Amino acid sequence: MFEAEYDVVIVGGGPAGMAAAVGAAQNGAERIALIERDDELGGILQQCIHNGFGLHRFGEELTGPQYAGRFIRQVAEYPNIEVFLDTTVLEVTPEKQVYTVNPQRGIGRFQAKAVVLAMGCRERSRGAIAIPGHRPAGVFTAGTAQRMVNREGYLPGKRVVILGSGDIGLIMARRLTLEGAEVAAVLEIMPYSNGLTRNIVQCLEDFDIPLYLSHTVTAVKGAARVTEVTCAAVDEELKPIPGTEFAIACDCLLLSVGLIPENELSRSLGIEFDRRTGGPVVDQTRQTSAAGFFAAGNVLHVHDLVDWVSAESETAGRSAARYARGLRAAAGRLVRVEAGSGVRVVVPQRIDCAAAGEYIELYCRVASPERNLTLALTAGGRTLFAQRLPLAKPSEMATLKVPKDCLGENPPEAITLVVKHADRGEEI
Amino acid sequence: MVKQQADVVIIGAGIVGTAIARELSRYSVSVIVCDQGADVASGTTKANSGILHSGIDAAPGTLKAKLNVRGFALYQKMHAELGLDIKFTGSLIAATCREEIAALEELAMRGRRNGVAGDIRILSRAELAAKEPGLSPAIPAALWVEAAGIVCPYGAAMAFARNAIRNGAAFLPDCKVQKVVSEAGRVVGLETTRGFIKCRYVVNAAGLWADDVSRSCGDDSFVIRPRKGEYILFDKSVGNLVNTVVFPTPGRVTKGILVAPTTHGNYFVGPNAQDTLDKGDLATTREGLEEIVSGARKLIPSLPLAGAITQFAGLRAVADGGDFIIRPSDKVFGLFHAAGIQSPGLTAAPAIAEMMVELLAEAGLPLTPKQCFDPVEPRPKRFRELSYQERDELIRANPLYGRIICRCEQVTEGEIVDAIREQCGARTLDGVKRRTRAGMGRCQGGFCSPRVAAILARELNMPLAAICKDGAGSALFIGKYSGNEVHEHV
């Protein structure tokens, strides 16, 4: 068995893990292990060959592999970051032992002082949303199809229906059209799209691909390969409306119906989870409820843009380095941050007053599309901080830069983020 | 070159056909098992409850009662011999109201008459709460039957097949029987999609198609009617849903919708019972899934629906008359039926195999025991079951065991290669899945299916675009560039 000791061990070499490694290296961690199961760093970015990455981070539009490449080069600049490729993490123990497997080294045990969880997320499958019907070949998640088209050079089908208007589904609608497949329709169960506006325009409207809002797939047909899907309109409870069914002939159904933070390894740590995000509960340093365990990127909460993943993960890497070096102060007063009315998720879910700088950044997503709204941080009926926004959609993260001072001399136990209508002032 | 002649041809490589093949492989006779599917266990055997029934509710005197009890005992022996995935969990049959308690008492008596071994007794509310904490508090009592368990059904069929092949039997996939050919009232062979197979004895274990096989030589003595059952499978992460197999008090037609663990740590609910005319109707329906959810909630109210990972349907092969049909054809000499094998057919299969061998012997098949028969089938290597030390040693011997392909179930490339290279090995994505569990976890193959397909293509020396999910026509991917397309795959 291969054994080694590290200051910081990072699980996952996608955008989160790479930025965490750089963040840790820049903040004095002496030995950093970056563990990636694939045979190259970059994670899912390597199959995202479309552009649009890095506008915020680098001020230019990059493709996924280009964005990954910038971080791969940064990682390579630090000799104290050791990259372990083709290496899968099997288990992380509460004692910060990370068990790995690799064909050449066999089983490895990495003893860490601090661990960064950066495993990313997975796609929700057909079974998770229980689409009835046959189980033929030709039903894929959009990300699996993306890998086959962009990395392997195969199509998942020739006439495709896409369920879900998440960004991967929208991107795949355009990709498949450009590759010569016909995208018959995109269906979205919600009355609004779950993708970025720019993707609706550039991936569907520019190619005349119909988007059916408030529709879903009610059955898959085909014995060996998909031959048809049955579609139907849904009511306000998202239940199919009898009589509205129609069939679309196709040989492929792609699913873009949500992403789930991949926390299987974190479950054995006994840390606290947020049911809304599907990820661990963290403070603003991205430390979980177990000291020395940090989480960042899509394993923590599903992000809209990789730029925010990088920023968050640098924070986690920096915090992990400080913890490993014994520089982190004992926890101060912990303020719970709760998602209130109109808010679907908010991260971090805790503020450690001892670790807070001048500002605390809160990422949040609203529960439904809103115009002219105010995001207000309240405690006991008082508004501590408010920020006006012209528009907010569930598909796009909003960021609040909250001055620490607004928590006051004696911070409350809990603060709640709510959506208010800017012109009326009331909660929605 | 395919062997096109045998003493006995078994039609159908499900649990019954493979059990018979393994039993026959003890003797000096040549055996071919053929199946219309691409793999062993690709019909009813792949989609059923996977329960080792006690035999408590079969009517005394029926083949079902006799063979169930005998089959259960045989699995206890074969468990170690063939390295099967079995857990002897026991079962609970729950009364949903006070009136049903009388029915439970009657069942207990019937079980003893059927010769069911082990503890059989009615548990009080307090005992139930200790044994099965998730059980509905509305359940006043339940019958505890110790002699019950769970088995991986396709895993068992594959182990039977592997051991039969080890002992000389041959397997022909993609081989659909078109006609049982007879001359002067005696079987002489089979016309199949893979040519004529000469033989004097035919065992009809064709499941849903057993009546079609029988009719092909003029024996229309029974009809098989498919009865669909739907299931929902839950992720391992839903916690300890049940410890035992939990049934409702049985109804007239079926044992009812149950909640049970699987041998691999998952949980399932189902099946319902829906008669259908279509032997290919494996579609789940919204109504059916709602029915099994509401049925299961009567037993376990806190059903973790958000933890569902897949839904599927299977078809029971129901014969008119209700009991198993295990007998020689009365039209053609040399044809033997093992038909209408619905529940508890999985449990009974090894006993059906013994009975079939006796029938064949009575009909003049000379059965000399083979000295070289090896009853032991080594269990395939399973990375996830090993200690770190054992894993390390395994990887040193073969580095492919050090690469995880299916992250949810921790299946390595080494195990997948083994599954493809073994006797009657996997040739499809589902074949790999059923042998190794790659793709059976919570992401349902989203991560590993392209990787498994690539390993299949490499090992079988086939283009990736020819790799199928299951049977013919189920190719997964279409070649995009010249050089990787496939025009016709048969």
Side-chain angles (χ1 to χ4, degrees):
Chain A
M1 193 179 319
F2 162 86
E3 294 186 53
E5 289 182 18
Y6 289 86
D7 286 342
V8 179
V9 171
I10 299 161
V11 185
M18 293 191 294
V22 171
Q26 286 171 344
N27 286 276
E30 282 172 16
R31 289 194 75 190
I32 301 159
L34 178 57
I35 304 174
E36 167 56 37
R37 66 181 168 212
D38 221 325
D39 51 16
E40 61 184 339
L41 290 175
I44 211 72
L45 285 171
Q46 299 287 15
Q47 69 182 46
C48 299
I49 63 170
H50 54 282
N51 64 353
F53 298 92
L55 270 172
H56 298 269
R57 173 102 197 173
F58 299 111
E60 56 185 308
E61 281 198 72
L62 304 174
T63 66
Q66 283 175 323
Y67 189 98
R70 299 233 172 157
F71 276 89
I72 290 170
R73 283 193 291 280
Q74 271 199 45
V75 165
E77 282 168 19
Y78 294 94
N80 53 333
I81 303 177
E82 288 175 56
V83 177
F84 294 85
L85 298 174
D86 200 5
T87 305
T88 302
V89 173
L90 300 171
E91 183 187 0
V92 183
T93 72
E95 295 75 33
K96 303 194 180 71
Q97 289 172 329
V98 179
Y99 285 90
T100 62
V101 63
N102 165 277
Q104 279 70 47
R105 282 187 311 278
I107 299 294
R109 185 170 68 200
F110 294 67
Q111 176 66 58
K113 290 180 181 158
V115 174
V116 181
L117 305 169
M119 292 88 81
C121 60
R122 66 166 183 271
E123 297 179 279
R124 186 166 278 134
S125 70
R126 173 182 176 182
I129 58 167
I131 304 173
H134 288 97
R135 302 203 303 154
V139 181
F140 299 99
T141 55
T144 304
Q146 186 180 47
R147 178 191 164 95
M148 290 314 294
V149 174
N150 291 349
R151 298 203 64 175
E152 316 290 341
Y154 291 82
L155 289 174
K158 288 181 172 161
R159 186 173 155 83
V160 183
V161 170
I162 300 175
L163 177 62
S165 62
D167 288 310
I168 313 170
L170 299 175
I171 294 288
M172 282 311 292
R174 175 174 64 186
R175 182 89 245 132
L176 286 167
T177 307
L178 294 174
E179 295 289 356
E182 181 190 354
V183 178
V186 176
L187 302 146
E188 169 60 56
I189 196 167
M190 301 302 288
Y192 49 84
S193 161
N194 273 313
L196 297 169
T197 306
R198 70 175 192 218
N199 284 335
I200 298 282
V201 175
Q202 295 170 9
C203 300
L204 298 188
E205 291 173 10
D206 288 358
F207 294 90
D208 292 326
I209 297 170
L211 171 63
Y212 293 86
L213 296 174
S214 296
H215 276 73
T216 193
V217 172
T218 56
V220 175
K221 293 189 178 167
R225 179 91 200 178
V226 176
T227 55
E228 177 184 308
V229 294
T230 310
C231 311
V234 298
D235 61 20
E236 283 174 6
E237 289 172 356
L238 310 181
K239 291 244 161 67
I241 303 169
T244 63
E245 295 88 354
F246 60 97
I248 303 179
C250 59
D251 63 355
C252 177
L253 172 66
L254 292 193
L255 303 174
S256 175
V257 292
L259 300 169
I260 302 167
E262 184 119 299
N263 274 295
E264 277 61 41
L265 289 169
S266 345
R267 299 276 170 196
S268 57
L269 297 174
I271 57 177
E272 198 182 331
F273 281 87
D274 180 344
R275 290 186 51 159
R276 291 168 178 247
T277 58
V281 166
V282 292
D283 64 23
Q284 74 276 23
T285 72
R286 298 307 186 261
Q287 180 170 261
T288 67
S289 60
F293 285 99
F294 300 81
N298 283 351
V299 78
L300 182 57
H301 60 120
V302 175
H303 291 61
D304 56 348
L305 297 177
V306 70
D307 308 59
W308 311 137
V309 169
S310 300
E312 175 176 275
S313 305
E314 279 167 336
T315 300
R318 181 171 64 241
S319 313
R322 288 179 58 79
Y323 182 92
R325 295 170 64 204
L327 298 178
R328 187 181 171 106
R333 187 177 177 86
L334 286 177
V335 179
R336 278 203 319 278
V337 186
E338 291 171 347
S341 146
V343 176
R344 188 187 284 172
V345 294
V346 59
V347 176
Q349 300 90 341
R350 296 276 185 280
I351 296 169
D352 178 351
C353 293
E358 207 178 328
Y359 289 93
I360 298 145
E361 274 194 324
L362 298 182
Y363 289 137
C364 73
R365 286 181 192 254
V366 294
S368 56
E370 300 291 343
R371 286 182 182 281
N372 295 323
L373 68 157
T374 298
L375 283 168
L377 210 49
T378 65
R382 275 185 318 124
T383 296
L384 308 177
F385 177 80
Q387 184 172 318
R388 288 180 75 123
L389 291 174
L391 178 72
K393 297 164 67 179
S395 56
E396 295 176 15
M397 284 174 21
T399 310
L400 255 72
K401 207 171 166 190
V402 182
K404 188 197 173 193
D405 290 348
C406 77
L407 294 175
E409 291 280 304
N410 186 18
E413 247 176 58
I415 54 178
T416 307
L417 187 66
V418 297
V419 171
K420 293 182 174 184
H421 280 297
D423 37 359
R424 282 173 280 159
E426 82 273 26
E427 291 180 20
I428 54 164
Chain B
M1 184 63 194
V2 173
K3 192 160 64 169
Q4 297 281 17
Q5 180 174 346
D7 295 324
V8 185
V9 177
I10 300 165
I11 306 171
I15 192 73
V16 175
T18 55
I20 294 170
R22 196 246 177 178
E23 197 56 32
L24 273 176
S25 71
R26 294 174 188 274
Y27 304 97
S28 296
V29 284
S30 58
V31 178
I32 290 176
V33 188
C34 65
D35 198 283
Q36 62 178 349
D39 202 350
V40 172
S42 52
T44 296
T45 301
K46 79 173 181 207
N48 63 82
S49 304
I51 306 294
L52 289 180
H53 291 288
S54 59
I56 196 164
D57 63 339
T62 58
L63 282 175
K64 278 185 175 178
K66 181 178 127 192
L67 298 174
N68 183 337
V69 172
R70 172 73 184 150
F72 188 87
L74 288 172
Y75 272 105
Q76 286 173 307
K77 179 166 166 248
M78 292 188 308
H79 184 196
E81 210 169 60
L82 298 178
L84 303 181
D85 286 321
I86 291 183
K87 283 183 191 158
F88 293 99
T89 56
S91 69
L92 285 172
I93 304 170
T96 49
C97 57
R98 295 231 148 254
E99 289 68 48
E100 282 180 355
I101 297 176
L104 294 185
E105 281 161 358
E106 204 172 294
L107 264 181
M109 272 169 29
R110 189 191 276 195
R112 290 187 193 103
R113 267 173 71 196
N114 284 345
V116 175
D119 196 12
I120 305 173
R121 67 195 171 91
I122 291 181
L123 300 188
S124 68
R125 217 14 269 166
E127 289 173 297
L128 279 179
K131 197 177 248 325
E132 208 61 272
L135 206 63
S136 166
I139 288 171
L143 184 66
W144 163 244
V145 185
E146 188 187 9
I150 49 179
V151 60
C152 172
Y154 43 84
M158 282 167 182
F160 293 166
R162 271 201 305 277
N163 193 244
I165 291 168
R166 174 184 301 278
N167 289 298
F171 173 56
L172 284 185
D174 299 320
C175 178
K176 186 175 170 62
V177 171
Q178 293 151 323
K179 188 174 166 52
V180 178
V181 185
S182 61
E183 277 172 18
R186 242 215 102 107
V187 168
V188 294
L190 297 171
E191 274 174 22
T192 79
T193 50
R194 291 183 67 171
F196 188 80
I197 308 175
K198 197 173 157 199
C199 62
R200 294 173 64 210
Y201 294 89
V202 167
V203 175
N204 175 13
L208 291 163
W209 289 269
D211 55 347
D212 299 335
V213 165
S214 179
R215 255 197 312 274
S216 77
C217 61
D219 179 351
D220 55 2
S221 57
F222 63 92
V223 175
I224 299 294
R225 293 190 174 82
R227 182 177 293 153
K228 186 158 74 176
E230 292 165 78
Y231 295 90
I232 300 174
L233 187 73
F234 295 98
D235 190 18
K236 296 169 181 177
S237 68
V238 300
N240 212 13
L241 197 60
V242 285
N243 303 306
T244 59
V245 180
V246 183
F247 296 94
T249 304
R252 216 164 30 83
V253 182
T254 71
K255 296 184 175 71
I257 293 161
L258 54 124
V259 184
T262 73
T263 53
H264 302 110
N266 301 79
Y267 299 90
F268 74 87
V269 300
N272 56 354
Q274 199 62 245
D275 288 326
T276 166
L277 297 172
D278 178 0
K279 291 177 177 178
D281 178 9
L282 289 166
T284 55
T285 62
R286 184 171 293 272
E287 298 72 26
L289 296 173
E290 282 168 4
E291 181 190 354
I292 58 175
V293 166
S294 86
R297 277 196 172 135
K298 287 179 195 148
L299 302 173
I300 306 288
S302 62
L303 218 52
L305 287 183
I309 56 175
T310 189
Q311 302 77 25
F312 61 92
L315 293 169
R316 305 169 180 89
V318 181
D320 36 2
D323 203 2
F324 297 155
I325 298 170
I326 303 168
R327 56 168 172 80
S329 164
D330 47 19
K331 279 273 168 21
V332 185
F333 183 83
L335 173 64
F336 294 79
H337 302 303
I341 312 296
Q342 54 166 321
S343 178
L346 170 62
T347 318
I352 294 172
E354 284 183 341
M355 183 175 168
M356 182 57 70
V357 170
E358 280 171 32
L359 291 175
L360 287 164
E362 282 166 20
L365 179 70
L367 291 175
T368 316
K370 274 195 294 222
Q371 289 301 312
C372 57
F373 174 74
D374 181 359
V376 176
E377 196 53 36
R379 190 176 162 79
K381 289 185 185 66
R382 307 246 165 89
F383 180 84
R384 67 183 165 277
E385 294 174 357
L386 303 176
S387 70
Y388 282 126
Q389 190 62 44
E390 291 167 324
R391 292 174 183 179
D392 206 45
E393 283 159 19
L394 194 60
I395 298 163
R396 214 161 304 146
N398 178 359
L400 290 185
Y401 293 110
R403 184 173 291 125
I404 302 283
I405 299 297
C406 166
R407 60 188 176 184
C408 301
E409 296 292 316
Q410 285 195 355
V411 182
T412 64
E413 183 167 0
E415 292 163 88
I416 292 168
V417 169
D418 288 347
I420 298 167
R421 290 185 186 168
E422 73 179 17
Q423 288 290 356
C424 79
R427 298 182 304 139
T428 62
L429 194 69
D430 283 355
V432 170
K433 181 170 91 169
R434 289 194 281 269
R435 281 169 182 80
T436 66
R437 293 193 57 73
M440 281 209 176
R442 54 187 67 90
C443 92
Q444 288 286 295
F447 178 77
C448 70
S449 57
R451 290 163 173 84
V452 173
I455 296 169
L456 276 163
R458 181 189 77 202
E459 291 295 316
L460 300 174
N461 197 21
M462 282 162 69
L464 186 62
I467 300 301
C468 285
K469 178 178 182 288
D470 204 352
S474 66
L476 289 158
F477 305 110
I478 297 163
K480 192 168 79 170
Y481 306 114
S482 70
N484 68 10
E485 73 274 78
V486 166
H487 298 292
E488 279 301 321
H489 171 58
V490 183

